[in-house]
Amino acid sequence: MNSFHEPMPGRAHWVYTHPRSNSLNRRLLRAGSAALSERYDVAVSDLYADGFQPALGERDLGSFAADPGSTSELTGKAYELGEVAPEVRREQERLAAAELLVLQFPLWWYGPPAMLKGWVDRVLQTGFAQGEFDESTGLPRRYGDGRLMGRKALIVVTAGDDQRTLGPRGISGDIETLLFPLTHGALWYVGIEALDLHVVYDADSLDEAGQEREAERLTTRISGLQDEPGRPYRRLLDGDYGRSSRALRTDIHPGRTDLAIHRRE
């Protein structure tokens, strides 16, 4: 097991992404983090309030900014030398300590806000979150085997659309598919297992009673998190994918191309 960043039991990191102080999301943050604090030592990162800079740039390459090579490679070299911006280092330290990650955000244009995407770009840095190879297979340690193995993530997302519109046949697309780049392409890539999504539908039309109901639903969900089973994806190293193609073997769910085929059975 890759235990480069061994999580500390009882630690959680809540990454909150919303620009308004009087929003439904703020209400959910207050209720949810209070409930989580009954079982965890919770660090909250309010990305807008903290002034987090989301755009990955030359400062993330440190002294290698002018060197040739891929950005991923150069950020890894910068990490090795400790050339990491203070706000990124803070997030990495909080994430490295946590056994539970909570990502909270509104669904904007059918994806996370740019602020959260920038958090992923800068914080899940080569050297910190991924970048190793398995010596026995020669395959990269990713998709279930990154440096952040042993953690779970709860995604709390508010959406203006209703549940049918964001369902499997909805015109806006299935929300599980819309957030696959986050749950699989980012979190599972570095070894973090996402729990079932926590979605607040029709968020823009909720009245006071509706907002209170959603706050209570979130606190109830959080109170039972420790008993929730994960929903793991297939690991790259388990043999379900071709070693050269990285595509799912043709004998597994033949003919299917939906993203659910990547769930472990």
Side-chain angles (χ1 to χ4, degrees):
M1 175 178 175
N2 177 357
S3 57
F4 184 83
H5 298 298
E6 193 70 29
M8 297 177 63
R11 296 285 289 274
H13 184 27
W14 192 303
V15 181
Y16 173 74
T17 313
H18 198 285
R20 300 188 65 195
S21 60
N22 60 347
S23 64
L24 167 63
N25 268 277
R26 176 68 64 178
R27 185 170 188 164
L28 296 175
L29 169 65
R30 288 195 298 265
S33 60
L36 193 62
S37 294
E38 295 179 6
R39 292 174 177 260
Y40 291 87
D41 179 6
V42 184
V44 176
S45 293
D46 184 338
L47 297 186
Y48 280 96
D50 294 344
F52 185 82
Q53 298 298 313
L56 189 148
E58 288 193 346
R59 67 187 180 284
D60 296 294
L61 308 183
S63 57
F64 301 95
D67 289 10
S70 73
T71 299
S72 175
E73 196 177 296
L74 297 177
T75 56
K77 290 182 177 181
Y79 179 82
E80 287 180 10
L81 293 185
E83 298 176 352
V84 180
E87 70 270 22
V88 173
R89 175 70 70 187
R90 176 199 68 198
E91 293 303 303
Q92 290 176 343
E93 289 174 350
R94 290 178 176 180
L95 181 53
E99 64 173 342
L100 174 68
L101 171 66
V102 181
L103 299 178
Q104 182 190 350
F105 57 91
L107 192 72
W108 285 352
W109 290 110
Y110 305 104
M115 178 69 84
L116 184 59
K117 178 58 167 65
W119 184 90
V120 171
D121 290 344
R122 297 188 69 203
V123 174
L124 301 187
Q125 186 175 10
T126 300
F128 168 71
Q130 40 82 25
E132 290 187 357
F133 281 79
D134 180 73
E135 294 182 1
S136 63
T137 64
L139 292 173
R141 300 201 67 156
R142 60 182 68 148
Y143 294 115
D145 290 278
R147 290 177 177 249
L148 294 174
M149 287 173 61
R151 291 164 177 80
K152 287 185 167 59
L154 174 65
I155 294 173
V156 180
V157 55
T158 58
D161 285 330
D162 63 29
Q163 191 166 2
R164 293 168 300 176
T165 307
L166 285 168
R169 293 174 59 84
I171 192 171
S172 295
D174 177 28
I175 195 165
E176 295 278 354
T177 300
L178 294 173
L179 293 181
F180 184 83
L182 177 61
T183 58
H184 185 272
L187 296 178
W188 187 239
Y189 189 99
V190 300
I192 301 175
E193 181 181 315
L195 298 169
D196 286 339
L197 299 175
H198 189 91
V199 187
V200 177
Y201 296 99
D202 284 320
D204 297 335
S205 60
L206 291 175
D207 58 13
E208 175 65 24
Q211 291 193 20
E212 181 60 26
R213 185 170 58 250
E214 288 298 338
E216 291 177 0
R217 185 169 72 90
L218 178 58
T219 59
T220 299
R221 170 83 187 275
I222 286 174
S223 68
L225 276 184
Q226 290 184 322
D227 300 323
E228 279 196 26
R231 296 179 58 200
Y233 292 105
R234 300 175 188 274
R235 295 168 68 247
L236 175 62
L237 298 180
D238 282 347
D240 290 345
Y241 299 92
R243 291 190 58 173
S244 58
S245 69
R246 309 285 170 83
L248 194 63
R249 297 198 327 256
T250 56
D251 61 303
I252 301 175
H253 297 309
R256 283 180 53 185
T257 59
D258 58 286
L259 296 180
I261 63 175
H262 300 291
R263 288 282 183 192
R264 199 163 67 205
E265 298 170 340

